[in-house]
Amino acid sequence: MKLNTKIPSNLKVAFESELEKYRQHLNSGNYKDAWYHLERSHIIGQSYPIEHTYSHWLMLKFGFMQKDTKEVLGQIIRLLLGGWKSFIDHVPLGNTGGANVPPLKSMPIPNDIKNLFNSK
C-alpha cells in the first residue's frame, strides 16, 4: 500500500498558486471565482493529507462566510474523513471537494492539472 505523506514540489507550487488566486478573488468579493480556485486546489492536493485537509478547512470557512449550512455540514464530514483517505492514497480523483458533489465520486480532471500529475 502506498502512503502519501509529502506533496511533490511541482504539485505544491500549483496548489499554492491556486490558493493565492482563491485569496485574491475572495478579497475582491468575487466569490464564484474564489470557489473555483479553491476547488482546483482540492483536486491538486487531495492525495496528500495536509493539503487535502487544508482545502477542506478553507471550504468550511468559506461555507461559514457564505452562511451556507449545507456546505458547512458537508465540510465537517469531509474534514473528519478526508485526511486519512489521502494518507492511504484512496481518494476519488478529480473530486472538487464541495458539498455539492458526492464525497466519493471521481470526476474528470482538468487537462492542465492532469498534465501536472503526469509530470510528477
Side-chain angles (χ1 to χ4, degrees):
M1 168 178 18
K2 177 183 173 191
L3 300 179
N4 287 337
T5 56
K6 187 173 188 224
I7 190 169
S9 60
N10 69 317
L11 296 182
K12 181 72 170 179
V13 168
F15 178 81
E16 293 293 337
S17 175
E18 292 297 335
L19 290 181
E20 180 57 33
K21 292 172 188 171
Y22 160 73
R23 290 182 192 103
Q24 289 171 354
H25 288 292
L26 186 65
N27 290 336
S28 68
N30 186 347
Y31 302 125
K32 181 181 176 188
D33 286 343
W35 183 255
Y36 169 78
H37 289 288
L38 194 49
E39 288 178 320
R40 286 176 54 85
S41 77
H42 179 270
I43 295 167
I44 294 167
Q46 75 183 114
S47 291
Y48 306 94
I50 293 170
E51 290 76 13
H52 191 189
T53 302
Y54 188 60
S55 291
H56 284 299
W57 171 249
L58 292 177
M59 288 178 170
L60 175 65
K61 288 174 54 177
F62 189 89
F64 274 117
M65 187 184 68
Q66 297 293 307
K67 297 179 175 70
D68 184 338
T69 304
K70 179 181 176 188
E71 194 63 50
V72 169
L73 293 175
Q75 292 309 321
I76 290 170
I77 292 166
R78 286 160 176 80
L79 278 165
L80 293 172
L81 302 175
W84 71 270
K85 290 184 87 61
S86 299
F87 184 67
I88 60 171
D89 199 29
H90 188 67
V91 295
L93 292 179
N95 188 292
T96 54
N100 62 327
V101 297
L104 300 177
K105 180 181 181 184
S106 293
M107 300 170 73
I109 300 171
N111 286 333
D112 63 323
I113 295 175
K114 195 181 300 184
N115 289 339
L116 278 171
F117 291 159
N118 291 334
S119 68
K120 282 197 251 186

